[in-house]
Amino acid sequence: MYFKETKGFPEGFLWGSASAAYQVEGGWDADGKGVSNWDKFVRIPGKTFKATTGDKAVDHYHRFKEDVKLMAEMGLKTYRFSIAWTRIYPQGNGEVNEAGLKFYDDLIDELLKYGIEPMVTVYHWDMPQALEDEYHGWENRKIVDDYVNYATTLFKRYGNRVKYWITMNEQNIFISFGWLKGMHPPGKENDMKMFYQVNHHANMAHAYTVLVLKELYPEAKVGASFAYSPCYAYDRKPENAMAKADYDDLQNYWWMDVYAYGRYPRSAWAYLESQGVTPDIMEGDLEVLKKAATQVDFMGVNYYQTCVAEFNDIDGVGMTNTMNTTGKKGTAEVQGVPGLYKNPANDFLPTTDWDWTIDPMGIRMCCRDITSRYALPIVISENGLGAFDKVEDGQIHDPYRIAYLKAHIEELKKACDDGCQVWAYCTWSYTDLLSWLNGYQKRYGFVYVDREEDENSGTLNRIPKDSYYWYKKVIETNGKEL
């Protein structure tokens, strides 16, 4: 849609940035913290780039005051961070760890001291390994009770100071990479039946958590963050338009319909029934999902790229357990579901060194789709560019990151003009961090952290990049000056 003049971003818009506990904190065994599934997984040879771990990460655990001070100097309005389950319940359940609770008390208080709104993610992939050892973690329905107990502890401890809560980060990613591609814990491949069962358990954990939060703090704002990749049909052929519809039902609406409506898409369910992989649903589950959906306040969106859907015949390509983790452009492989769709490269868009498409308009499409389909407000909980940043004379010049963020913010502003209710924009990430499988070479932050792949190299000193000062101006002008 075209508007002669922009309304700009609403007053009180939350300009923010984000991180995840395992990727920034370090202190992996400090002060009573238990072992997480990622603490164990990264020690399996060949799983991460150059065997990098989050043992030290960027040492946010010991340097959070320094990091928050930099946030304040930038003028950040909100900081989205996750809590490590293993700091609160080292064994996943049982005895609570007061030292872990205090760390997040101190972090939240430090943010509030500078007027920065804490936005807390309950779960960003780091499950206690003790629960995996005890009953296979997410594969067992018991995980729902343990998760809700953990979340309830957080709400009771921090709910008087935290207004914004995100129950799950990228549920679609940690489950598909964990049970289909074997690239995340527990490292299983092509276990389609368990993939959907695990996903249902996560949905129930999300739903019960929403209900508990709203009972304790009715004014709190809650949602889940979904890794949303809008999809284009490859061309004008009807079979490719249908491939897009199949992709959307199985890869996008399968999650968002549950968050917003409390139900699974009917066509997707019919397909899964034909394959014999529908999840087992207990009596009362659907009612709980629907009740929670009525109390969800926003849809969280982690937006990085769009994709293309093309019809994939029954003998076509499937999913692989490979991805570009080296930053060598052009090494990603086409993947798909035989008989439904495949996702070829989009020749009309540039890509990052990690073969992620760069499509600023996609963030506007996310917002438009969510607004028209769900009528929910939107929190952009992640958006950013991973790149090879270099220090030159003590400075980091990253015009490519500024250009990327500028283009996405311009499209987000158009989404606001379109009538979308966008509450927040959180870049990924604030400081450089461990990029899961990609190690530390793939840098996302406004703040450079001096560390290399070697666990013991680098000073961990913080250096603001050019993008830091650019974003500071964006915040000061509420997005008017880009």
Side-chain angles (χ1 to χ4, degrees):
M1 295 181 179
Y2 170 76
F3 298 90
K4 187 175 182 179
E5 294 182 356
T6 180
K7 295 178 182 177
F9 291 96
E11 185 178 348
F13 187 77
L14 293 174
W15 296 97
S17 199
S19 73
Y22 186 75
Q23 295 178 269
V24 296
E25 285 181 1
W28 77 282
D29 59 353
D31 301 323
K33 178 185 173 294
V35 176
S36 76
N37 55 350
W38 274 93
D39 290 325
K40 183 174 180 179
F41 189 75
V42 296
R43 286 166 167 75
I44 301 173
K47 289 297 184 182
T48 66
F49 181 74
K50 293 189 176 180
T52 43
T53 78
D55 289 6
K56 184 185 293 185
V58 296
D59 202 29
H60 179 71
Y61 186 74
H62 297 105
R63 298 170 180 245
F64 73 90
K65 289 189 176 182
E66 176 185 0
D67 290 337
V68 173
K69 188 171 186 293
L70 282 168
M71 294 176 199
E73 290 172 356
M74 178 191 257
L76 216 63
K77 302 298 182 184
T78 188
Y79 174 52
R80 178 196 168 214
F81 62 94
S82 77
I83 289 178
W85 189 342
T86 48
R87 290 201 193 280
I88 311 305
Y89 286 99
Q91 299 302 310
N93 52 32
E95 187 175 349
V96 71
N97 178 31
E98 180 60 31
L101 287 168
K102 185 179 184 303
F103 168 71
Y104 295 107
D105 272 328
D106 293 343
L107 174 57
I108 289 167
D109 288 345
E110 192 73 9
L111 290 166
L112 293 173
K113 182 176 80 173
Y114 290 106
I116 300 170
E117 190 82 53
M119 184 180 294
V120 174
T121 305
V122 175
Y123 184 76
H124 201 130
W125 304 356
D126 47 348
M127 184 192 72
Q129 180 62 32
L131 300 186
E132 178 67 31
D133 296 339
E134 181 183 347
Y135 55 68
H136 300 299
W138 285 108
E139 296 183 13
N140 194 307
R141 181 77 182 215
K142 291 180 182 178
I143 191 74
V144 176
D145 290 339
D146 283 334
Y147 183 94
V148 174
N149 174 67
Y150 154 63
T152 301
T153 300
L154 302 187
F155 300 152
K156 289 181 176 179
R157 182 78 172 219
Y158 311 123
N160 63 334
R161 288 164 289 161
V162 176
K163 179 180 179 181
Y164 295 93
W165 293 89
I166 292 170
T167 57
M168 294 269 175
N169 178 77
E170 295 186 354
Q171 182 179 327
N172 53 327
I173 299 298
F174 84 78
I175 295 174
S176 61
F177 276 49
W179 282 267
L180 296 183
K181 298 186 177 184
M183 302 173 72
H184 282 193
K188 298 186 177 181
E189 297 182 28
N190 300 314
D191 194 345
M192 194 68 72
K193 173 69 175 177
M194 186 56 73
F195 164 79
Y196 286 107
Q197 191 63 52
V198 163
N199 185 67
H200 183 67
H201 293 161
N203 282 333
M204 296 311 301
H206 155 81
Y208 280 115
T209 296
V210 168
L211 297 177
V212 169
L213 175 63
K214 286 297 190 174
E215 184 175 344
L216 291 170
Y217 291 95
E219 301 305 312
K221 303 300 181 184
V222 65
S225 282
F226 177 69
Y228 191 9
S229 293
C231 183
Y232 305 124
Y234 183 73
D235 58 17
R236 300 185 301 273
K237 291 180 180 178
E239 58 264 40
N240 292 330
M242 187 57 71
K244 168 188 158 47
D246 290 339
Y247 178 90
D248 282 339
D249 269 354
L250 287 166
Q251 296 296 329
N252 288 326
Y253 304 145
W254 184 257
W255 284 273
M256 291 195 292
D257 279 10
V258 171
Y259 298 146
Y261 297 141
R263 60 167 171 78
Y264 293 105
R266 187 172 296 176
S267 294
W269 188 271
Y271 172 72
L272 299 187
E273 276 189 325
S274 74
Q275 302 295 306
V277 295
T278 52
D280 297 327
I281 295 179
M282 292 177 59
E283 184 177 353
D285 281 0
L286 297 181
E287 288 74 16
V288 171
L289 292 176
K290 288 178 182 178
K291 184 177 180 181
T294 65
Q295 299 191 42
V296 162
D297 298 288
F298 62 85
M299 187 73 76
V301 173
N302 292 358
Y303 174 75
Y304 291 97
Q305 60 182 326
T306 52
C307 68
V308 169
E310 182 181 11
F311 176 69
N312 188 20
D313 67 42
I314 198 65
D315 296 318
V317 298
M319 293 186 181
T320 72
N321 62 353
T322 61
M323 63 181 290
N324 179 352
T325 60
T326 63
K328 183 178 180 181
K329 188 179 286 193
T331 57
E333 298 180 8
V334 174
Q335 303 193 39
V337 177
L340 297 181
Y341 59 81
K342 58 184 174 182
N343 303 120
N346 190 333
D347 295 334
F348 295 97
L349 294 172
T351 63
T352 71
D353 289 326
W354 282 264
D355 294 319
W356 293 21
T357 58
I358 300 175
D359 185 2
M361 191 176 290
I363 200 169
R364 183 183 182 188
M365 293 183 67
C366 282
C367 295
R368 287 283 296 272
D369 196 23
I370 289 168
T371 299
S372 62
R373 189 176 178 95
Y374 306 116
L376 279 172
I378 297 152
V379 167
I380 303 297
S381 41
E382 290 183 24
N383 174 238
L385 176 70
F388 293 106
D389 295 337
K390 301 298 180 185
V391 181
E392 298 176 4
D393 298 324
Q395 298 179 314
I396 299 92
H397 305 298
D398 56 343
Y400 40 85
R401 181 168 291 107
I402 294 172
Y404 176 98
L405 294 175
K406 177 178 183 290
H408 283 74
I409 292 172
E410 285 174 340
E411 291 296 328
L412 195 61
K413 186 185 294 186
K414 293 176 184 177
C416 293
D417 290 334
D418 289 334
C420 303
Q421 289 182 272
V422 186
W423 287 354
Y425 175 73
C426 295
T427 69
W428 188 263
S429 53
Y430 190 72
T431 63
D432 291 336
L433 41 64
L434 170 65
S435 185
W436 298 107
L437 306 178
N438 306 289
Y440 293 94
Q441 62 164 354
K442 189 181 186 184
R443 295 177 178 269
Y444 279 95
F446 289 126
V447 177
Y448 185 93
V449 178
D450 177 27
R451 74 148 297 161
E452 301 300 329
E453 308 307 329
D454 185 334
E455 292 293 324
N456 297 308
S457 66
T459 63
L460 298 178
N461 288 343
R462 273 66 166 151
I463 308 172
K465 306 174 189 178
D466 287 356
S467 58
Y468 173 98
Y469 300 103
W470 170 82
Y471 197 53
K472 180 178 181 179
K473 192 68 174 178
V474 171
I475 297 172
E476 287 175 354
T477 63
N478 199 29
K480 292 178 182 176
E481 293 188 26
L482 298 176

